[in-house]
C-alpha cells in the first residue's frame, strides 16, 4: 500500500520541504506497526514520454539543467539542485507505479509517500516547492490505460493551481480543491472559477476560511465533493493529499485533526468503492509540521487500507514510538509529570 521510502536528500539548505517529511511518516508507520500490514511498491523513475503527457520538452529540459547546474530557481518558489532530477522522476514514476498496480488489480488502492510535491506546477511552470506534477501525469497515464474519466480531489491547504490550470478546459478530468481562502498562491482557487468551454463545471474550488476544522471539511466533503464525484462516475480517483490543513502546520491556519483526516480518507475510499471498484491513489503533497503531519498521514493510510486506528484508545497505555520526537509524546510526558510528580 505504500511506496518504498524515497526521501532523497536533494536540498542541502534549510527548507520546510525536506527529507524528514517522508522519513517521519515512515517512522510513524513502522513504530505504530502499520507498515507491516501494508504492501510496499518499489518506485521507479518516470520516462520522458510519461513526463511529456503533461509537460512540454522545454520545461523538462529546464528542470534537468537546473539540477545539473546546482541549486537554482526553476520557477516561482521552486528550486532544483543536486539530486532534484532523480527525486522528481521517482516522485512521478512512483505514483505511476501505484496507478498501474491499482488498475491491474494488484492493490486495492495506494498511498504514494514521495517528494517533491507537484500540485502547484502547471504544464510549463514549476512552482511552490513543486517540480513536475505527479497527480496530473497520473491522470493522463490512467487515461492512456483506458480509464476515461478521472476525479482529482486536492485537500492540501494551498490551492492546487497547477492541476487546476492543466485540466481547466478538460471534460474528462474533474478537479476539486478544498483550500484555505486567500493563501498561496494568492488570487487562485476562487469559487467562481468552475472550468472553461467543454470543461465548464468540472473544476470545483472550495475556499474555506482560516481556522476551519474537521466539521467544515466534513461538510465540504459531504455536500460538494461527494455529489460532484458521483456525477462524474470516474474510473479512478486521485487525491492530492497535503496534510497541511492540520492544526499547527507552519504554512497553514486550518485546524484539522488526525480524526478529521481519517474521516476525509474514509469518505474518499468509500466513494472509490461505490463508483470505481475501489481504484484510488493518494499522493502526498504538502504538510510541514514534522510533529503532527506524520500522525495525520498515518490516519489517512489506515483509513484507505481499512485498518483500525493503531494509536487509538488511552494514550497513556500506548507505546508511542520513541523515534518520533513528536508533540504527542511530549504532551503525554507533560501530563505524567503533573499527575505523578516525582
Ligand atoms: Zn500545501
Amino acid at each position: 500500500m505504500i511506496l518504498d521510502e524515497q526521501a532523497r536528500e536533494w536540498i542541502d539548505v534549510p527548507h520546510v520541504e525536506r527529507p524528514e517529511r517522508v522519513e517521519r511518516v515512515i517512522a510513524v508507520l513502522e513504530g505504530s506497526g502499520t507498515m507491516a500490514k501494508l504492501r510496499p511498491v518499489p518506485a521507479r523513475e518516470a520516462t520522458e514520454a510519461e513526463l511529456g503527457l503533461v509537460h512540454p520538452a522545454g520545461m523538462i529540459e529546464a528542470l534537468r539543467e537546473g539540477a545539473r547546474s546546482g541549486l537554482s530557481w526553476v520557477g516561482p518558489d521552486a528550486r532544483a539542485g543536486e539530486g532534484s532530477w532523480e527525486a522528481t522522476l521517482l516522485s512521478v514514476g512512483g505514483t505511476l507505479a501505484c496507478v498501474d498496480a491499482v488498475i491491474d488489480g494488484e492493490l486495492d488502492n495506494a498511498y504514494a509517500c514521495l517528494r517533491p510535491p507537484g500540485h502547484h506546477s502547471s504544464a510549463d511552470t514549476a512552482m511552490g516547492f513543486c517540480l513536475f506534477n505527479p497527480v496530473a501525469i497520473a491522470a493522463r497515464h490512467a487515461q492512456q490505460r483506458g480509464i476515461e474519466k478521472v476525479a482529482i480531489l486536492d485537500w492540501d491547504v494551498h490551492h492546487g493551481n497547477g492541476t487546476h490550470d492543466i485540466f481547466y478546459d478538460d471534460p474528462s478530468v474533474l478537479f476539486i480543491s478544498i483550500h484555505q481562502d486567500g493563501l498561496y498562491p494568492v488570487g487562485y482557487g476562487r469559487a467562481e472559477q468552475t472550468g472553461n468551454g467543454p470543461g465548464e463545471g468540472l473544476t470545483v474550488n472550495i475556499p474555506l476560511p482560516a481556522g476551519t476544522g474537521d466539521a467544515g471539511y466534513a461538510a465540504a466533503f459531504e455536500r460538494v465533493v461527494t455529489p460532484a464525484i458521483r456525477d462524474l462516475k470516474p474510473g479512478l480517483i486521485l487525491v492530492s493529499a497535503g496534510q497541511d490543513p492540520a492544526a499547527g502546520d507552519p504554512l497553514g491556519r486550518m485546524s484539522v485533526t488526525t480524526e478529521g483526516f481519517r474521516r476525509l480518507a474514509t469518505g474518499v475510499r468509500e466513494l472509490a468503492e461505490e463508483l470505481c471498484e475501489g481504484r484510488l491513489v493518494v499522493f502526498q503533497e504538502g504538510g510541514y509540521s514534522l510533529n503532527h503531519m506524520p500522525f495525520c498521514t498515518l490516519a489517512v493510510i489506515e483509513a484507505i487500507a481499512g485498518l483500525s486506528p493503531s494509536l487509538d484508545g488511552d494514550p497513556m497505555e500506548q507505546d508511542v514510538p520513541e523515534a518520533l520526537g513528536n508533540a504527542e509524546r511530549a504532551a503525554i510526558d507533560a501530563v505524567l509529570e503533573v499527575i505523578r510528580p516525582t
Side-chain angles (χ1 to χ4, degrees):
M1 289 279 197
I2 181 125
L3 289 171
D4 286 334
E5 179 181 352
Q6 292 298 338
R8 291 291 187 270
E9 297 182 17
W10 63 275
I11 290 279
D12 59 357
V13 296
H15 195 279
V16 292
E17 204 294 278
R18 57 205 292 176
E20 290 89 334
R21 296 179 57 247
V22 168
E23 292 165 3
R24 294 258 185 131
V25 170
I26 301 291
V28 168
L29 289 169
E30 288 178 343
S32 64
T34 304
M35 185 68 95
K37 300 170 187 164
L38 306 176
R39 192 162 137 208
V41 177
R44 64 169 177 84
E45 292 192 351
T47 66
E48 254 178 72
E50 288 165 342
L51 301 176
L53 292 172
V54 167
H55 301 290
M59 178 178 175
I60 295 170
E61 191 48 40
L63 294 195
R64 193 197 333 253
E65 186 51 37
R68 198 182 285 146
S69 61
L71 208 58
S72 63
W73 295 101
V74 289
D77 302 302
R79 293 182 300 183
E82 188 181 347
S84 69
W85 177 249
E86 292 76 11
T88 193
L89 290 187
L90 285 164
S91 192
V92 174
T95 306
L96 299 186
C98 285
V99 169
D100 285 335
V102 167
I103 290 177
D104 292 339
E106 294 166 10
L107 297 176
D108 297 331
N109 55 40
Y111 188 94
C113 187
L114 297 162
R115 59 181 287 272
H119 72 149
H120 292 306
S121 287
S122 64
D124 60 4
T125 305
M127 181 176 171
F129 317 161
C130 302
L131 298 174
F132 297 121
N133 188 325
V135 166
I137 295 169
R140 290 294 186 224
H141 178 76
Q143 289 183 317
Q144 271 202 331
R145 295 213 46 197
I147 303 277
E148 289 180 18
K149 294 182 192 171
V150 178
I152 301 173
L153 171 61
D154 185 329
W155 69 52
D156 189 284
V157 76
H158 305 98
H159 180 241
N161 60 292
T163 316
H164 167 117
D165 285 350
I166 290 164
F167 299 112
Y168 202 62
D169 301 320
D170 193 320
S172 66
V173 176
L174 169 68
F175 175 67
I176 308 174
S177 178
I178 311 174
H179 50 273
Q180 183 180 323
D181 193 13
L183 201 61
Y184 182 92
V186 174
Y188 287 83
R190 300 191 308 279
E192 61 269 27
Q193 294 176 300
T194 55
N196 184 48
E200 177 62 46
L202 289 167
T203 294
V204 180
N205 284 308
I206 312 171
L208 298 176
T212 301
D214 296 353
Y217 275 80
F221 188 85
E222 286 156 21
R223 297 186 186 193
V224 183
V225 174
T226 296
I229 294 181
R230 279 195 178 129
D231 278 353
L232 183 74
K233 299 183 179 65
L236 170 71
I237 299 177
L238 299 172
V239 178
S240 275
Q243 271 71 265
D244 45 10
D249 192 277
L251 298 193
R253 293 294 177 268
M254 299 308 219
S255 56
V256 179
T257 69
T258 54
E259 296 318 298
F261 282 106
R262 190 184 309 279
R263 187 168 174 180
L264 282 174
T266 300
V268 82
R269 188 198 78 215
E270 289 173 352
L271 268 181
E273 288 169 349
E274 172 191 328
L275 300 171
C276 49
E277 298 167 2
R279 287 188 290 270
L280 166 68
V281 174
V282 182
F283 172 78
Q284 181 153 312
E285 299 277 2
Y288 303 96
S289 166
L290 294 178
N291 293 325
H292 191 202
M293 178 274 285
F295 289 94
C296 299
T297 303
L298 172 67
V300 170
I301 291 170
E302 287 170 342
I304 67 167
L307 298 172
S308 302
S310 56
L311 297 177
D312 200 13
D314 182 354
M316 299 297 191
E317 305 287 321
Q318 296 288 334
D319 180 20
V320 179
E322 278 308 317
L324 310 181
N326 63 76
E328 298 191 19
R329 176 77 263 170
I332 291 166
D333 287 346
V335 172
L336 291 172
E337 284 289 310
V338 172
I339 62 174
R340 282 191 271 166
T342 54

